[in-house]
Amino acid sequence: MAKKRPQTKGKSHVSSGEIPVVGAREPCPCGSGRRYKACHGRAAAHAVTELVQRPFEGLAGEGDWIALRELVPAATVRLTLKESLPDGVPSVTLATVLPMAWPALRRDDGSVLIGLQNDTSSGDLSRDLADTLQRALTAEPGTPVQAHRAPADGPRLQDLLDPSAAFEPVVHTGFEFWVPDSENASPEVAASLERANAAAIPTVKLSGVDSAYWCETPDKNHLRWVMPHPEEQLLDALARLHAAGTSSLGEGTRLVGSFRAHGLTVPVWDLPTGMSAEDVEKPAAEFAERLAAALDSGAPLTVEERKARGGLTNRQVTLS
């Protein structure tokens, strides 16, 4: 999409992935004779503005994809592609963020790192990441991959990744995974590493339930739990538990609300400062059992439950 307009006479065949960005009122470079905005520009504009509400739907670990995109400072996941990796590429690893906010990096040894928390050029995060991945696989070793507008008809992550492979995030205390030898990193990377480590909030992934992450802040700790259930059904279930006084995770904890992120709902609990990730494992597992029962209930909400639901809805924030 960023290529210069070709200086050719007459009509020439150009695929939709190669159509350059030109003025909206200029002739479309495909040779149709129509203005760009009425021809290939229509598809390009639609690709930029259309928002895919659940970009990670259908991928293994959808909740963890969302958590790593929105909640977790430093984490990595080894990715498995449907097709064999090209020669010279020993591995592909998803990372929450890369130095200097690079979209991707091909290391000297040929391995690939893909950054998840970057801004993207279209409304389909999955397509943008897939385009970055494909370009990283063919990048020169030792070079970053720059930002780029993905073709509107390009593949998505769901087309490239093996759906049967486990998605197992490894949460790190810092960003030393950026470089094999952080002590000998370049001054630019070392400075970026120092800034990133200073800003990282301590975070731990719970082992007993899916897609739940404990984090520590100066004033209090939190549990943020990405849940796969339909939003309306989940809010009803949380309201039932809240009205019954069973929505907490133990003494001193409180369900304070939720937010939407990439099509799923993420309830949030405040925890006492002294409550560690290990301390919250058992209460979270017990809450999961209570929530499952509440989700199965088909009874209409009572007056108190409707009131509780209204409070939860009023405290809901949309992140994406």
Side-chain angles (χ1 to χ4, degrees), residues 106-128:
R106 181 106 185 263
R107 284 176 160 162
D108 291 333
D109 67 356
S111 61
V112 167
L113 287 175
I114 305 293
L116 180 58
Q117 295 181 7
N118 296 72
D119 293 333
T120 57
S121 59
S122 80
D124 187 351
L125 181 55
S126 177
R127 195 180 310 279
D128 290 333

Side-chain angles (χ1 to χ4, degrees), residues 137-258:
L137 292 174
T138 58
E140 289 295 323
T143 61
V145 174
Q146 303 300 330
H148 173 87
R149 181 181 290 179
D153 59 351
R156 308 178 73 239
L157 289 173
Q158 289 82 347
D159 301 316
L160 302 181
L161 300 183
D162 183 352
S164 66
F167 190 81
E168 300 176 339
V170 177
V171 179
H172 303 277
T173 57
F175 295 88
E176 283 74 18
F177 64 85
W178 280 351
V179 287
D181 184 4
S182 58
E183 294 183 358
N184 295 318
S186 68
E188 294 84 1
V189 172
S192 185
L193 179 61
E194 183 177 356
R195 290 193 300 270
N197 283 344
I201 296 173
T203 302
V204 177
K205 184 182 189 299
L206 298 194
S207 60
V209 294
D210 293 333
S211 307
Y213 291 79
W214 169 96
C215 68
E216 179 182 21
T217 62
D219 296 329
K220 61 185 69 174
N221 298 343
H222 304 279
L223 182 70
R224 299 176 290 189
W225 192 341
V226 187
M227 295 188 170
H229 317 291
E231 180 179 333
E232 296 302 314
Q233 182 186 8
L234 176 59
L235 289 175
D236 281 353
L238 292 174
R240 296 181 196 279
L241 297 178
H242 198 66
T246 58
S247 64
S248 75
L249 299 173
E251 185 177 355
T253 71
R254 184 167 67 99
L255 175 64
V256 293
S258 64

